[in-house]
Amino acid sequence: MKSYQLKFLAWTFSAFLPPKDDPSQENEVDYYQLLDVPPTAKADDIKKAYRKRSLELHPDKLRQRGMRYQGQVITEDEARSRFQHMKSAYDALSDPKKRKVYDALGHQGMDFVVNPSHAYDPHVLMGNLAKSSVLDRAKLMMLVLLFFGLVLIQPILICAKVDQMLYSTGGVLEESMWVVVLVPCWLFSICYGVVMVIGKAVLPLVQWIMFVLGVLMLTLKWDSVIRVNYAIVFIPFYLWMALRWLGASKEMKDTRTDMSKMVTIDYIEKYILNEKKQDEDGNDIEEQIHRTYNDLTEEERDEINETYIIVHVPPKSVAPGESPTAEQTMEADLDQIERSAEYQEATIRHQEAYKSIQRIVLPEIPLIIMVIIQLDMNKNWNWGLVFIPLWISMFLECCGGCYGFFCTGALAHIEVQESMAAHFAKQQESAHEKKESKDEADVKSNADKVNENVEASKLEDSKPMTTSNSEETTETAKDGEAMELLAKSEVDTAVVVEPLNDVKEDESKGTEVNFPEIDLVNNGAEKEDDEDEFLRNVFSMDEDTFQYYQQAEQEAESKATEAQSKAIASFCNIFFQIVFSVLFVVKLNQVYDERDRPEFEGDSSFSSFWIIFPLLLVAGCTSCCCFCAIFCAGEVDTHMMSSEVATEKEEEHAEEFPAEAVAEPEAKANAKEEEEQEVEIQQTSTSEGMELDIEGQAQTKVDETVTAVAEDPTKKESDMDDLD
């Protein structure tokens, strides 16, 4: 940036720069004076002067000369400060960019521009604005008014021209040509075209030329320079819409191509560098070397960068306890790519291009067709019917805004609940499978024990019987043990077991035991609602699962907030479109109705300025807010500042008022000690009161028990034991 450009910007926005009479800049010496060179000195002269001054101001050299500088004795701190200032001067003047800034802005502007924390900190800007002079604030306010004047001058001229033509007041603009009235539009078009030429935006430049050419054809039609139908006048607008369609289609194609090329480094290492290869028989070839992105050569990296677009995203949290399959891992990697900032930006560009095509299809093409029919065929339709495509388009946009504002957040939270419910269902299924396998193993082991007992009983029966009592005892013990084992399996597996059949005794075949049939049955509990089950699982989840759930809820909340902010912006845009369109249509209907009357001598409808009244209202309110912010800005409170600026302010205040700086921490410490003593007293009194209440309740219980025992001597002594 040139020096005169910096000076112009510094003069224009001087209200945001530190004031020239800032006390912190009083002791600053001109950099050229510090190096003892003229402002026109060259870089070599500045370097020579710096070497010379370094020998004079270096603390070691001064120490050799007895700390004497220019006939005076100085301290080491002062010598070090002088040397640091001289070094800062050389750093600033040796750099061409910093030297330009210093020549244009001086010390204050130099520190403000070089230090980004000051240049972009709103608290510092407001603090400088509060210290600026009335002239600097007036320049800033004039800049704001100039901006709104440039924006509003064209619609104001158009409305004034229309009113003078309709009222026939004989004003200056009544006989003026429309080409002259639209001079601000032509100037703006030229400036915008130059910017696009510098930016080498060919297709947008051609689109802009077609649009400006269409406006020019329309003004020539109104000035009666060309006498053709509106269908021919609108030819540049046809080309403008066709070029926009072409540009939007190209943008959609480019964004889809870019999105298909986007990969992460993990994706490259998994599926590109270490892709599984197969031999002729279709068997996987296992490669021993696992290559990473860092192992690639520069040529291989360049080839990958030409083929793919590498994006960087933070890893997404995975629900604990889940081991995804290969397909789920692939889906997770693709989902991770979709969450990257580059992919989201491409998605937004794709959506904007799609919306541009939608606006061309509805309402632009139907609207221009309806206008041509109304004007060229002299149809006496109501202009509200002509603008039906516009009403339909705004209604659809309003529905989309309502969906984004009311439904997006709820759907995001529902998606989180569904994912968590699926996670809990997987956990329950896994736990159920483990329980079933364990129960089957227990049943099998119990059955084996029963078979062993039955075989043992058969062996005992084959031996000669000693007494009938011993036989009955053995059979009873075996049958009891079998019943106990089956009962245990019934409890463990939660199944219904039929009662044991009678044991049939046969001397020839021995004892035969019929095992029961085990049938799995429903536990009888009805299935609860999904929401109640989800809430029950939420309150029973572990810490890792709760953190995963909390992070998912935060992501859903951020998505909902973003969607709601976009919906609010869409509502504001639609609101202004509706107001402008309704006022414009009403004005057209009144003008055409009165023009068709035989006694038409002028216009009795409302002024054309009411059409741009919403724009004027917004500009006026914004100007008033800027006026209050500029001229009513006061000293910024230290609590509103950033931490660094607030600390600097407190240090400056402590230097100016050292007594207050010492007394303030002491007062804060004393107040803190008093609060701690009050809290301790309250806690002590509360604990003492609780102890007294407990002792009183215990004494009351003792008295009641003693009285009851005295009245009823036969009462058990358990009541007295309870008192202990």
Side-chain angles (χ1 to χ4, degrees):
M1 188 176 290
K2 302 296 183 180
S3 178
Y4 67 88
Q5 295 175 344
L6 285 172
K7 290 181 179 179
F8 174 76
L9 292 176
W11 181 85
T12 306
F13 298 98
S14 57
F16 292 122
L17 296 176
K20 295 181 180 180
D21 56 350
D22 192 353
S24 62
Q25 303 291 336
E26 289 181 355
N27 299 326
E28 293 291 343
V29 184
D30 185 66
Y31 284 167
Y32 293 102
Q33 293 181 5
L34 283 174
L35 295 177
D36 196 13
V37 293
T40 57
K42 297 182 180 179
D44 295 336
D45 297 336
I46 292 175
K47 184 180 291 187
K48 293 178 182 179
Y50 171 69
R51 291 177 179 176
K52 179 181 178 181
R53 297 289 290 172
S54 297
L55 296 175
E56 295 177 359
L57 296 175
H58 197 278
D60 295 338
K61 300 295 182 181
L62 289 173
R63 201 175 293 110
Q64 293 175 2
R65 297 194 299 267
M67 301 302 294
R68 289 185 176 274
Y69 176 71
Q70 294 181 354
Q72 297 179 357
V73 179
I74 61 176
T75 61
E76 282 196 21
D77 293 339
E78 188 176 356
R80 192 178 296 106
S81 176
R82 289 174 183 269
F83 183 79
Q84 290 295 335
H85 279 79
M86 188 269 301
K87 190 175 183 303
S88 300
Y90 175 73
D91 292 340
L93 298 180
S94 60
D95 189 348
K97 295 182 180 179
K98 291 183 180 180
R99 185 176 181 181
K100 288 181 181 180
V101 175
Y102 178 78
D103 292 340
L105 307 179
H107 287 289
Q108 295 87 348
M110 181 72 182
D111 180 68
F112 183 80
V113 174
V114 173
N115 192 352
S117 62
H118 290 175
Y120 301 105
D121 192 348
H123 303 294
V124 175
L125 296 177
M126 293 303 296
N128 295 335
L129 180 62
K131 298 176 183 178
S132 61
S133 62
V134 178
L135 179 61
D136 293 338
R137 300 189 189 192
K139 289 187 291 185
L140 193 60
M141 189 64 203
M142 289 299 296
L143 186 65
V144 174
L145 296 177
L146 178 63
F147 170 76
F148 284 111
L150 293 176
V151 171
L152 296 175
I153 185 172
Q154 188 61 80
I156 289 175
L157 289 175
I158 293 174
C159 292
K161 168 74 174 174
V162 171
D163 284 347
Q164 291 183 14
M165 288 177 58
L166 295 176
Y167 284 100
S168 301
T169 57
V172 178
L173 297 176
E174 182 178 357
E175 301 298 330
S176 300
M177 298 181 66
W178 280 100
V179 176
V180 178
V181 174
L182 295 178
V183 166
C185 178
W186 312 135
L187 295 176
F188 175 77
S189 301
I190 293 172
C191 295
Y192 189 68
V194 171
V195 172
M196 285 189 289
V197 170
I198 295 173
K200 298 180 180 180
V202 179
L203 186 59
L205 178 61
V206 177
Q207 295 175 6
W208 182 249
I209 291 174
M210 290 295 104
F211 177 78
V212 175
L213 184 60
V215 176
L216 180 61
M217 293 283 291
L218 197 59
T219 55
L220 294 177
K221 169 69 176 176
W222 292 343
D223 290 335
S224 300
V225 176
I226 55 176
R227 299 182 181 276
V228 294
N229 293 330
Y230 280 96
I232 299 175
V233 172
F234 288 157
I235 288 177
F237 290 112
Y238 307 152
L239 298 176
W240 173 59
M241 288 186 291
L243 290 172
R244 286 172 57 208
W245 188 303
L246 178 63
S249 302
K250 182 176 180 299
E251 182 70 16
M252 292 175 64
K253 181 180 179 181
D254 293 341
T255 52
R256 284 196 296 265
T257 304
D258 292 342
M259 287 189 290
S260 63
K261 292 182 178 180
M262 290 182 183
V263 293
T264 60
I265 294 180
D266 294 338
Y267 187 92
I268 292 175
E269 293 177 352
K270 286 182 182 179
Y271 306 104
I272 299 175
L273 299 180
N274 301 291
E275 183 180 6
K276 291 184 178 180
K277 299 179 181 180
Q278 294 181 348
D279 54 11
E280 298 178 355
D281 298 333
N283 299 322
D284 294 338
I285 301 175
E286 296 183 358
E287 296 184 358
Q288 300 295 330
I289 302 175
H290 181 80
R291 303 182 67 192
T292 62
Y293 184 78
N294 296 327
D295 298 334
L296 300 178
T297 61
E298 293 184 0
E299 296 179 355
E300 292 176 337
R301 289 187 182 183
D302 294 338
E303 183 179 357
I304 288 178
N305 292 332
E306 291 177 0
T307 309
Y308 302 98
I309 299 175
I310 299 177
V311 297
H312 303 278
V313 293
K316 184 179 179 181
S317 60
V318 181
E322 291 187 359
S323 55
T325 60
E327 296 180 357
Q328 292 176 348
T329 304
M330 185 73 173
E331 293 178 358
D333 293 335
L334 296 176
D335 180 68
Q336 190 178 18
I337 296 172
E338 293 176 359
R339 293 189 301 109
S340 63
E342 294 84 355
Y343 193 94
Q344 295 296 329
E345 183 181 357
T347 304
I348 293 173
R349 289 192 287 115
H350 187 275
Q351 292 176 354
E352 292 296 331
Y354 182 72
K355 289 180 180 179
S356 179
I357 294 177
Q358 282 186 332
R359 283 191 292 268
I360 294 172
V361 175
L362 183 73
E364 293 179 5
I365 292 178
L367 180 60
I368 200 170
I369 293 173
M370 297 289 286
V371 171
I372 290 172
I373 294 174
Q374 174 79 340
L375 296 177
D376 289 345
M377 297 182 180
N378 295 324
K379 300 291 183 180
N380 292 325
W381 294 343
N382 188 294
W383 282 95
L385 298 177
V386 175
F387 279 77
I388 281 180
L390 183 61
W391 311 136
I392 295 174
S393 175
M394 288 190 291
F395 174 75
L396 294 176
E397 288 184 6
C398 186
C399 292
C402 293
Y403 175 81
F405 186 82
F406 295 105
C407 301
T408 306
L411 291 176
H413 289 290
I414 290 174
E415 183 179 355
V416 173
Q417 291 185 0
E418 289 179 351
S419 63
M420 292 301 299
H423 171 65
F424 290 138
K426 289 181 180 179
Q427 284 186 339
Q428 291 178 356
E429 184 178 356
S430 177
H432 185 65
E433 290 177 355
K434 291 180 180 179
K435 188 172 181 298
E436 285 185 348
S437 61
K438 182 180 178 181
D439 293 342
E440 289 178 358
D442 293 341
V443 171
K444 185 177 180 181
S445 63
N446 294 335
D448 293 339
K449 290 181 180 180
V450 171
N451 292 331
E452 291 177 358
N453 294 331
V454 171
E455 291 177 358
S457 63
K458 289 181 178 180
L459 292 175
E460 292 292 336
D461 292 340
S462 62
K463 296 179 180 180
M465 293 186 296
T466 55
T467 57
S468 61
N469 292 332
S470 62
E471 181 181 357
E472 292 178 0
T473 304
T474 303
E475 291 178 356
T476 305
K478 298 298 182 182
D479 294 341
E481 187 176 359
M483 289 293 293
E484 183 180 356
L485 291 173
L486 289 174
K488 182 178 179 181
S489 65
E490 177 184 359
V491 173
D492 292 339
T493 57
V495 298
V496 176
V497 182
E498 295 182 359
L500 286 170
N501 296 332
D502 296 335
V503 180
K504 299 179 180 179
E505 297 180 0
D506 193 352
E507 295 180 355
S508 61
K509 296 181 180 180
T511 305
E512 181 181 356
V513 180
N514 295 327
F515 292 98
E517 295 181 359
I518 301 174
D519 296 328
L520 294 173
V521 297
N522 193 2
N523 55 5
E526 296 182 356
K527 193 173 183 180
E528 298 180 357
D529 295 334
D530 295 339
E531 184 176 359
D532 295 338
E533 185 177 359
F534 174 76
L535 292 175
R536 187 174 64 252
N537 290 327
V538 166
F539 287 108
S540 63
M541 68 176 67
D542 55 3
E543 184 177 357
D544 295 336
T545 307
F546 178 74
Q547 290 179 357
Y548 169 75
Y549 169 73
Q550 191 175 17
Q551 183 177 357
E553 282 288 340
Q554 290 177 356
E555 292 178 359
E557 190 68 27
S558 62
K559 290 181 181 179
T561 304
E562 183 180 359
Q564 290 177 356
S565 61
K566 290 182 180 179
I568 291 173
S570 177
F571 280 138
C572 294
N573 186 20
I574 293 170
F575 174 75
F576 280 101
Q577 288 182 12
I578 291 174
V579 172
F580 282 120
S581 303
V582 169
L583 292 174
F584 183 69
V585 168
V586 172
K587 180 67 177 178
L588 283 176
N589 285 328
Q590 291 182 356
V591 170
Y592 273 78
D593 290 343
E594 293 182 358
R595 189 190 64 175
D596 295 337
R597 297 176 186 174
E599 65 276 6
F600 176 75
E601 295 181 356
D603 184 26
S604 61
S605 62
F606 60 88
S607 174
S608 301
F609 284 95
W610 284 103
I611 299 176
I612 63 172
F613 172 74
L615 184 60
L616 297 175
L617 180 63
V618 172
C621 293
T622 307
S623 301
C624 292
C625 294
C626 293
F627 180 86
C628 295
I630 292 172
F631 288 97
C632 300
E635 287 291 340
V636 183
D637 189 5
T638 55
H639 297 288
M640 299 291 292
M641 295 181 180
S642 61
S643 59
E644 297 180 358
V645 179
T647 305
E648 293 177 0
K649 290 287 185 181
E650 291 177 357
E651 291 177 356
E652 293 176 0
H653 182 76
E655 292 177 358
E656 295 178 1
F657 305 98
E660 293 182 4
V662 174
E664 187 175 356
E666 293 180 356
K668 291 182 179 179
N670 294 333
K672 187 175 181 179
E673 289 180 0
E674 292 177 359
E675 291 179 358
E676 292 178 354
Q677 290 177 0
E678 290 179 359
V679 172
E680 186 176 357
I681 292 171
Q682 291 178 359
Q683 292 178 353
T684 305
S685 60
T686 303
S687 61
E688 290 177 355
M690 293 176 62
E691 290 177 358
L692 291 174
D693 291 340
I694 294 171
E695 291 178 359
Q697 294 175 2
Q699 186 63 33
T700 304
K701 180 68 176 177
V702 170
D703 296 340
E704 292 177 355
T705 306
V706 171
T707 305
V709 172
E711 293 177 356
D712 189 6
T714 61
K715 196 174 185 59
K716 296 181 179 179
E717 295 181 357
S718 60
D719 294 338
M720 297 300 294
D721 295 336
D722 293 338
L723 295 177
D724 296 336

